[in-house]
Amino acid sequence: MSVIVLVLVGVLVLVVAGCVCVVWASRGGPRWVRGAAAVTLAVGQLVRKSGRSGGKSNSGFDSGSSLGSDSGSGSGSGD
């Protein structure tokens, strides 16, 4: 079980480091940071596309999540 935790912590560290690289690259970081940011953004696109293509059953969930967003924006306009 500790191996699973170690793998998850490793993935979390990679995700956080990728996010840091994206922010740093947007502020004009070194060349290697821009490369790491490009890889991070490309992997993010692949993850998003793989999540969408596998889920015809997710369409019901998506409509439910949009209802939650609508109610959130309605409460924001009431302030």
Side-chain angles (χ1 to χ4, degrees):
M1 183 141 128
S2 64
V3 173
I4 294 173
V5 172
L6 223 97
V7 168
L8 289 175
V9 168
V11 169
L12 181 64
V13 167
L14 286 174
V15 167
V16 170
C19 291
V20 168
C21 285
V22 168
V23 171
W24 191 6
S26 71
R27 296 177 179 224
R31 188 177 206 178
W32 67 270
V33 170
R34 287 177 279 174
V39 169
T40 301
L41 293 173
V43 169
Q45 288 289 332
L46 288 174
V47 168
R48 271 183 272 178
K49 285 182 182 180
S50 70
R52 288 181 185 170
S53 66
K56 291 206 175 201
S57 63
N58 283 343
S59 61
F61 179 74
D62 288 340
S63 65
S65 64
S66 68
L67 289 175
S69 298
D70 289 342
S71 66
S73 64
S75 65
S77 62
D79 286 340

